[in-house]
């Protein structure tokens, strides 16, 4: 069992990483702006699922293999970069196609499964997220105790914190719901999201 002080210390250490804007926040802004608050849940669930996948891989030692093999690490990094850039380009073209105002009754919100998959892949294909569980997490676990349960405990705390962070952003976005309903703002937000995703993809590829 992880000591409560260790959990608190881990959350303090990981908070700046969560607060740094990333692909999950970009997807949240884009989908909530476009389709409303119902799209926040699949983004949050996809992101949280990605964290548990990284934690499980860390326990199994697969993430360690990737992080210690330059070829495997580069492959994962490039796959993630291509995904983010591709998602950004798709979002940009989608914004261009939907530039014309469409009555609310004719709008068809994106399926939750599609939004969930986007958020999940954006997290899973981010090697820096895996690095959290290979470099930061070990600093907060007791080496003489089974580390599987400890890692999952820290992952749960991490998941709760990032879920609260994204939920807070959802609230802030919805507070500006009047402005967000305008087609011009939705198009601008979608293009900004695409630019962020492409920028993150390029940064991941060249880092």
């Amino acid at each position: 069992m992880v000591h409560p002080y260790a959990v608190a210390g881990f959350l303090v250490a990981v908070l700046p990483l969560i607060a740094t804007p990333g692909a999950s926040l970009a997807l949240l802004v884009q989908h909530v702006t476009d389709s409303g608050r119902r799209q926040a849940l699949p983004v949050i669930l996809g992101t949280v699922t990605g964290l548990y996948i990284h934690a499980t891989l860390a326990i199994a030692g697969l993430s360690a293999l990737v992080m210690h093999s330059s070829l495997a690490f580069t492959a994962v990094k490039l796959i993630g970069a291509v995904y983010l850039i591709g998602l950004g380009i798709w979002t940009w073209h989608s914004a261009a196609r939907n530039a014309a105002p469409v009555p609310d009754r004719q709008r068809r919100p994106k399926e939750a499964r599609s939004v969930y998959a986007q958020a999940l892949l954006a997290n899973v294909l981010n090697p820096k997220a895996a690095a959290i569980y290979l470099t930061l997490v070990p600093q907060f676990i007791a080496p003489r105790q089974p580390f599987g349960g400890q890692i999952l405990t820290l992952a749960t705390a991490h998941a709760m914190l990032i879920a609260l962070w994204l939920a807070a952003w959802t609230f802030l976005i919805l507070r500006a719901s009047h402005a967000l309903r305008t087609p011009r703002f939705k198009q601008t937000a979608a293009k900004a999201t695409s630019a962020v995703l492409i920028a993150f993809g390029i940064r991941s590829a060249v880092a």
Side-chain angles (χ1 to χ4, degrees):
M1 181 177 179
V2 185
H3 195 283
Y5 288 138
V7 175
F10 171 72
L11 292 179
V12 170
V14 82
L15 180 59
L17 300 177
I18 292 176
T20 302
S24 295
L25 180 57
L27 289 172
L28 180 80
V29 173
Q30 196 265 319
H31 288 300
V32 172
T33 299
D34 186 54
S35 303
R37 62 184 178 185
R38 76 184 74 182
Q39 299 296 346
L41 183 59
V43 173
I44 294 173
L45 290 178
T47 302
V48 167
T49 304
L51 294 181
Y52 278 107
I53 290 177
H54 283 301
T56 302
L57 291 176
I59 294 172
L62 297 179
S63 292
L65 176 63
V66 171
M67 294 298 294
H68 289 88
S69 169
S70 59
L71 181 61
F73 180 80
T74 300
V76 172
K77 185 173 67 172
L78 290 179
I79 291 172
V82 169
Y83 171 74
L84 290 176
I85 293 172
L87 182 59
I89 293 173
W90 177 84
T91 302
W92 183 280
H93 285 298
S94 179
R97 288 198 308 269
N98 298 328
V102 179
D104 288 340
R105 65 177 179 274
Q106 295 182 16
R107 288 191 178 276
R108 299 182 62 184
K110 299 179 181 65
E111 290 188 5
R113 289 177 296 179
S114 174
V115 178
Y116 172 84
Q118 289 179 6
L120 173 63
L121 289 175
N123 189 281
V124 169
L125 295 177
N126 182 3
K128 292 184 178 180
I132 292 177
Y133 288 87
L134 295 170
T135 60
L136 188 59
V137 165
Q139 312 303 318
F140 298 93
I141 62 177
R144 296 184 179 180
Q145 298 181 16
F147 61 88
Q150 297 183 74
I151 292 177
L152 289 178
T153 298
L154 293 176
T156 299
H158 187 187
M160 292 176 64
L161 183 60
I162 199 168
L164 289 173
W165 176 257
L166 293 177
W169 268 103
T170 301
F171 174 77
L172 292 175
I173 295 168
L174 293 175
R175 290 284 291 178
S177 59
H178 178 72
L180 299 181
R181 288 195 182 100
T182 64
R184 182 180 181 85
F185 187 92
K186 289 184 176 182
Q187 185 183 17
T188 301
K191 289 186 174 182
T193 299
S194 68
V196 170
L197 292 172
I198 292 172
F200 275 114
I202 294 174
R203 187 184 69 175
S204 178
V206 303

